[in-house]
Amino acid sequence: MKINIGSKNKVKIEAVSELLKDYSDFKDAEIISIEVDSGVSHQPKSLDETIDGAIKRAENVFTDCDFSFGLESGLMKVPKTKTGYMDVTACAIYDGRIFHLGLSSAFEYPPKVVDYIFKEDENISNAFYKLGFTPSSHLGAEGGAVGILTKNRLNRKGYTKEAIRMALIHLENKDLYENKQ
């Protein structure tokens, strides 16, 4: 079995590779990473845009494979939060016919980060770096903002695995999700 991932981000690649070892149908899969365009802004600012980015990545990388994976993190509006937004990661698994979607848990950034993202049109990594939360400008390829905010109790790889695991529910339970039309 061959699986393509629509990213060269090492955290995303490791998350897919490590998690698939837990699944008998995927544990021996050949995994290829290919950088593709997400078709969305560098910092998605809605759930729709985040899911669209994951879908577009999976669709753009589906070539000469059995499944393709697209992963995208972004903001979504959440009522009654301090900033009005939370971060979520979306996973789209594409089999050449239909998409299987999953989401991670969600968390809120500090208010000054959200303000900065919207005022400066920056991504999370740059916002955290420029606001002094991290000495690294490559946060998305490391432990991620979630790692900083949870004091490394959950890092970006673990957070990304949540979205992948939720999308895999569809493939592990095909009989429950088949389209009967």
Side-chain angles (χ1 to χ4, degrees), residues 28-44:
D28 296 320
E30 175 187 9
I31 298 174
I32 308 292
S33 65
I34 303 166
E35 188 63 46
V36 295
D37 185 20
S38 69
V40 298
S41 64
H42 63 279
Q43 180 57 64

Side-chain angles (χ1 to χ4, degrees), residues 2 4 36 49 51 53 63 71-72 74 86 89 94 97 102 104 107-108 114 122 150 181:
K2 185 175 173 188
N4 290 347
V36 295
E49 188 180 11
I51 291 171
T63 178
L71 294 155
E72 191 73 35
M86 287 187 158
T89 295
Y94 187 49
R97 198 172 53 87
S104 66
F107 69 97
E108 191 169 9
V114 174
E122 281 285 0
T150 65
Q181 295 177 359

Side-chain angles (χ1 to χ4, degrees), residues 100-131:
H100 311 281
L101 301 177
L103 296 175
S104 66
S105 56
F107 69 97
E108 191 169 9
Y109 292 115
K112 68 181 181 178
V113 171
V114 174
D115 290 343
Y116 191 84
I117 290 166
F118 280 95
K119 287 179 185 167
E120 302 298 327
D121 195 31
E122 281 285 0
N123 65 34
I124 297 302
S125 289
N126 288 338
F128 265 68
Y129 173 69
K130 290 178 180 175
L131 291 170

Side-chain angles (χ1 to χ4, degrees), residues 41-57:
S41 64
H42 63 279
Q43 180 57 64
K45 295 179 181 81
S46 71
L47 183 57
D48 281 343
E49 188 180 11
T50 303
I51 291 171
D52 286 347
I55 287 172
K56 187 57 80 176
R57 285 181 186 276

Side-chain angles (χ1 to χ4, degrees), residues 3-5 9-23 26-33 69 71 157 160-161 164 168:
I3 294 173
N4 290 347
I5 303 171
N9 181 308
K10 73 175 185 139
V11 171
K12 293 178 181 182
I13 296 163
E14 289 174 3
V16 172
S17 299
E18 290 175 15
L19 188 65
L20 290 183
K21 289 180 179 160
D22 292 344
Y23 295 82
F26 298 103
K27 68 179 179 174
D28 296 320
E30 175 187 9
I31 298 174
I32 308 292
S33 65
F69 284 62
L71 294 155
K157 187 192 311 181
T160 302
K161 284 180 179 181
I164 299 165
L168 284 167

